[in-house]
Amino acid sequence: MPEPVLRAAGLARSYASPAGPLSVLNEVSLEVRAGESVSVRGSSGSGKTTLLQILGGLDLPDAGKVEVLLPGRGLCPPRMALGRGVGFVFQNYQLMPELSALENVALAGRITGVPSDEADRHACELLGQVGLAARADHLPSKLSGGECQRVALARALVNHPTVLLADEPTGNLDERTAEEVMSLMLGVVATLGTALVLVTHSREFAERASRRYVLSGGALSPA
Ligand SMILES: Nc1ncnc2c1ncn2[C@@H]1O[C@H](COP(=O)(O)OP(=O)(O)OP(=O)(O)O)[C@@H](O)[C@H]1O
Ligand SMILES: [Mg+2]
């Protein structure tokens, strides 16, 4: 059986609110192995983004533990793996508006210490893989939503993450473009062997993952 690339156990998270603590996650545990894709559905406000942010080290749980596989280092806290072991794709792309598609992807490589020429070469290669070789010089404002999300996918993969965390990656796209981006994402992660945790409201896309969960009442249940 492939090794786990992501291991979360006993996660709890609540937020302060005027009415008292708002408990969002209780006892969430999840293990994802290399090459697996896992989908998480759940109603708005159920805590999906909170969970992904904790899995990726953008937020800390009140209780519980997360570990992510960092090649050469073994299982590490996700904050250590940020930008390397973990890649993120967000609903609203979050590209740097003043940088071209190529620069957006290459910058993510350079900030982890990869030399510029190597980062540029790898960024070019990834833009080719997502079908955007001809748009490498375009600013995000000169790209369609689907193209922006392809750039964001290339950026998320530039540092060879062991796990890709995608938060409603097709939420801003029309049906046909959403299908194209989802097929591309599933195909690319399968080719690279990257594990995927996909948060989506789409039952159809969720079904395409190898394991499926619903987040409700602060807990994950198999769908
Ligand atoms: N920083 C915060 N402070 C206080 N409450 C928060 C904070 N972030 C999220 N929440 C609350 O926590 C709950 C879960 O939010 P979260 O964004 O994780 O939901 P979600 O499942 O991703 O929803 P959606 O499907 O709409 O994206 C919501 O009720 C939200 O209002
Ligand atoms: Mg959300």
Side-chain angles (χ1 to χ4, degrees):
M1 195 185 271
E3 58 191 333
V5 293
L6 176 72
R7 196 183 260 163
L11 297 182
R13 178 74 164 100
S14 60
Y15 294 111
S17 83
L22 172 71
S23 173
V24 176
L25 303 177
N26 313 296
E27 282 290 319
V28 170
S29 297
L30 178 67
E31 202 166 271
V32 185
R33 292 177 183 274
E36 262 192 316
S37 56
V38 169
S39 62
V40 178
R41 288 194 306 123
S43 54
S44 184
S46 59
K48 304 179 299 297
T49 294
T50 302
L51 174 61
L52 274 202
Q53 289 188 337
I54 291 173
L55 293 180
L58 300 180
D59 188 16
L60 287 172
D62 301 325
K65 185 174 174 185
V66 182
E67 293 173 305
V68 173
L69 183 72
L70 198 50
R73 301 284 294 274
L75 287 166
C76 297
R79 286 202 169 191
M80 272 177 68
L82 203 54
R84 289 179 294 161
V86 184
F88 267 99
V89 177
F90 304 94
Q91 177 175 353
N92 57 357
Y93 328 128
Q94 299 207 3
L95 299 175
M96 306 272 263
E98 70 279 17
L99 298 184
S100 69
L102 181 76
E103 289 164 340
N104 263 282
V105 180
L107 180 66
R110 281 185 217 154
I111 57 177
T112 62
V114 175
S116 314
D117 53 346
E118 197 184 320
D120 287 355
R121 186 196 50 73
H122 190 207
C124 262
E125 188 182 304
L126 279 166
L127 284 177
Q129 272 182 271
V130 300
L132 285 184
R135 300 283 191 282
D137 296 334
H138 284 223
L139 292 174
S141 58
K142 308 285 182 203
L143 294 170
S144 70
E147 288 168 345
C148 283
Q149 198 58 299
R150 287 166 185 248
V151 175
L153 174 61
R155 178 185 58 185
L157 295 170
V158 76
N159 293 316
H160 310 282
T162 50
V163 56
L164 179 68
L165 303 175
D167 193 356
E168 297 189 46
T170 58
N172 282 7
L173 305 176
D174 65 71
E175 211 173 311
R176 188 167 140 230
T177 311
E179 165 57 37
E180 287 170 4
V181 167
M182 188 57 64
S183 294
L184 178 72
M185 180 177 296
L186 291 169
V188 170
V189 295
T191 305
L192 297 176
T194 312
L196 172 69
V197 180
L198 168 68
V199 162
T200 179
H201 282 288
S202 159
R203 188 180 293 269
E204 188 192 327
F205 293 154
E207 296 277 327
R208 286 159 72 172
S210 46
R211 271 193 299 134
R212 298 163 281 277
Y213 290 95
V214 171
L215 182 61
S216 175
L220 278 180
S221 331

